[in-house]
Amino acid sequence: MEQDESPSTGTGRGAIVVTALVTAVVVGAAAYSLGRMSAPGRPVPGNTSAEAGFARDMQVHHIQGVEMAMIIREGTEDEGVRLLAYDIATTQAHQAGQLYGWLVEWRLRQAGSEPPMTWMMAPDPAGDHTAHAMGALMPGMATSAQMAELSTASGVEAERLFLSLMIAHHQGALEMAEAVLDRTNHPGAVTFADAVLLSQASEIDLMTRMLADRNE
Amino acid sequence: MPPSRDQAGAKNATKNAAQIEREARRATRVEASYQAKKRGALKRRFTKIGAGVAGVALLVAAYVFAPEFASYSPGSEGRLIEGVQTYTNITGHVTGPVTYPQTPPAGGEHNPAWLNCGIYSEPVPSVYGVHSLEHGAVWVTYDPALSPTELEALRMHLPSSYVVMSPFSGLPTPIVLSAWNVQLSVESAADERIPLFFEEYWRSERVPEPGALCSGGIDGAGRVS
């Protein structure tokens, strides 16, 4: 019996090893495609990702933009400023809603587990921008004193104040959009940030001209 | 003539020898066929085990290779924070006073105007505060007798927007956090469930009007910031 099997043992082991290897490769490949196909197209950003941080902080930023635009729309009779305010309020409210929707879709909460702006404090992978300083205010945000001042001002004075606050506000948005572009390749986030860069840069030019007109 | 005992014995011995040989041959055949059967059974068993192992490996590897889903810890998907009460208040605009079933209110009918979010040093009318809850704000109420140290510690928890903080008489505990139809009562500002409550319910999508502003409404008395 022992003698019977001993000549075939060598080939038997070889066959077993080859079969095991082939099976392992086939199983691995099948499992890989199964795993990829059964899951969403691409991994969803996590709770402390730059994308989630951007989605949360940009909402805070945009919502203040909406508030400022609504205040000036009620505080002035100037058609140019009122129209600009309408444009800014609807655009930024819509964009804030988009960001809100991302977080819902990613199954994340609107509040992060880390303080605001933490994602911008992380060194950016490309290393060509400085990271946001710890404890610094979100770029471009108006203080509550400035908001109160805008609410009580009227006429050209209110328009000047609005324009200078909104220029700073937009510049802060550019900074945040650039920061997320340095840290993400998520298609939705890239498209969004590109749109912010394009539209807000052109609005900064417009508001700079409008402010100059009112300073003459 | 009967055979002699010796003859019979020899015959028997011959017969026995032949029989033993036959039996031995049969035993060998039986053993050989048994071994063959055993090998076959073993082979089938190994095939079954192999297929089983491959199947399990397939499932495990598919799970391991699947792209990671969003990671999210505190509060989390439907996981309730200990002590959070949930309610089923309705919504709607009314201009008169409203009697709220919870103290402080955690939802229900409210005034058409909402309360501007912020820190208030005086009690705010509930009919406006509830409207802010409908927009996703968290309303932090505290006993008017709360110590300044506790008050300061409580303020450290607050996000920069979508929060109303005001004193409220008759609370069940010194501090109560309310969002639309959810509420958490705590004894002190150091309670570790406070940040979890904010993370879970601040600007929640489970309010009637998520994303509506918490500014542009009306200010109550004693607005600090």
Side-chain angles (χ1 to χ4, degrees):
Chain A
M1 238 177 71
E2 296 269 311
Q3 272 183 339
D4 250 14
E5 290 206 341
S6 57
S8 67
T9 304
T11 43
R13 272 203 192 127
I16 287 171
V17 168
V18 169
T19 311
L21 282 177
V22 169
T23 310
V25 169
V26 169
V27 164
Y32 185 83
S33 20
L34 203 70
R36 288 280 147 178
M37 285 184 298
S38 63
R42 62 182 61 247
V44 177
N47 199 31
T48 55
S49 64
E51 294 87 347
F54 177 77
R56 289 174 176 132
D57 293 339
M58 201 58 154
Q59 278 190 71
V60 172
H61 196 267
H62 270 30
I63 288 166
Q64 193 190 49
V66 175
E67 190 182 350
M68 286 159 71
M70 296 306 276
I71 290 172
I72 195 63
R73 203 173 145 78
E74 286 179 7
T76 183
E77 298 290 317
D78 185 275
E79 270 314 305
V81 172
R82 282 176 54 84
L83 196 63
L84 172 70
Y86 194 102
D87 197 2
I88 289 174
T90 51
T91 304
Q92 303 217 356
H94 174 86
Q95 287 185 336
Q98 258 185 284
L99 300 171
Y100 188 101
W102 288 358
L103 291 168
V104 172
E105 207 46 36
W106 296 342
R107 301 184 191 177
L108 301 176
R109 292 291 174 269
Q110 300 300 324
S113 54
E114 300 177 328
M117 304 307 286
T118 306
W119 66 277
M120 261 179 89
M121 286 173 218
D124 88 78
D128 44 74
H129 286 94
T130 49
H132 185 75
M134 183 75 161
L137 277 176
M138 202 178 291
M141 289 289 280
T143 63
S144 47
Q146 287 170 322
M147 293 299 285
E149 201 186 341
L150 182 63
S151 303
T152 48
S154 62
V156 182
E157 187 49 44
E159 291 162 22
R160 275 200 210 105
L161 188 55
F162 169 77
L163 290 168
S164 52
L165 288 176
M166 191 55 91
I167 288 169
H169 203 264
H170 272 30
Q171 279 161 345
L174 297 186
E175 208 178 302
M176 287 164 75
E178 275 162 7
V180 80
L181 285 174
D182 286 340
R183 290 165 176 80
T184 189
N185 56 7
H186 187 280
V190 170
T191 308
F192 187 99
D194 282 341
V196 167
L197 288 182
L198 202 68
S199 68
Q200 302 216 2
S202 88
E203 259 175 12
I204 289 173
D205 290 344
L206 170 68
M207 290 190 290
T208 307
R209 287 197 304 275
M210 288 171 79
L211 184 60
D213 289 346
R214 282 159 182 80
N215 281 337
E216 275 167 3
Chain B
M1 182 173 147
S4 74
R5 270 182 81 95
D6 278 2
Q7 276 176 324
K11 204 175 179 185
N12 270 349
T14 318
K15 191 182 167 191
N16 280 351
Q19 210 169 8
I20 285 166
E21 209 190 315
R22 268 203 311 278
E23 273 166 12
R25 276 203 301 271
R26 197 196 299 145
T28 310
R29 277 202 308 273
V30 166
E31 173 69 13
S33 107
Y34 169 72
Q35 287 299 336
K37 266 185 195 157
K38 198 173 152 190
R39 274 200 301 276
L42 216 61
K43 225 176 190 174
R44 280 195 297 278
R45 211 163 123 207
F46 273 125
T47 311
K48 268 184 198 163
I49 290 171
V53 168
V56 170
L58 185 78
L59 289 179
V60 170
Y63 178 78
V64 169
F65 287 135
E68 222 177 305
F69 220 76
S71 64
Y72 175 67
S73 37
S76 204
E77 278 297 321
R79 206 198 307 160
L80 290 180
I81 299 159
E82 195 196 332
V84 168
Q85 302 289 315
T86 57
Y87 307 104
T88 50
N89 295 302
I90 55 154
T91 184
H93 288 181
V94 289
T95 46
V98 180
T99 306
Y100 290 102
Q102 292 90 37
T103 305
E109 292 182 320
H110 47 262
N111 193 273
W114 56 94
L115 185 77
N116 289 331
C117 280
I119 316 279
Y120 292 89
S121 61
E122 288 178 35
V124 296
S126 292
V127 286
Y128 303 124
V130 169
H131 197 156
S132 300
L133 297 182
E134 190 188 40
H135 290 191
V138 170
W139 185 3
V140 180
T141 45
Y142 58 90
D143 190 299
L146 198 71
S147 76
T149 326
E150 274 287 279
L151 204 54
E152 190 49 39
L154 190 54
R155 279 186 68 160
M156 297 305 282
H157 289 298
L158 308 188
S160 67
S161 60
Y162 282 91
V163 64
V164 172
M165 180 160 137
S166 68
F168 200 105
S169 296
L171 295 179
T173 58
I175 299 164
V176 180
L177 278 68
S178 311
W180 185 264
N181 278 341
V182 286
Q183 198 163 65
L184 176 68
S185 304
V186 297
E187 295 294 332
S188 100
D191 196 302
E192 57 194 19
R193 292 170 298 169
I194 294 175
L196 296 185
F197 186 90
F198 275 108
E199 190 170 350
E200 187 68 17
Y201 299 109
W202 181 75
R203 300 194 65 222
S204 164
E205 67 263 31
R206 295 182 186 87
V207 302
E209 295 175 1
L213 293 198
C214 202
S215 61
I218 62 156
D219 277 346
R223 183 164 175 191
V224 180
S225 72

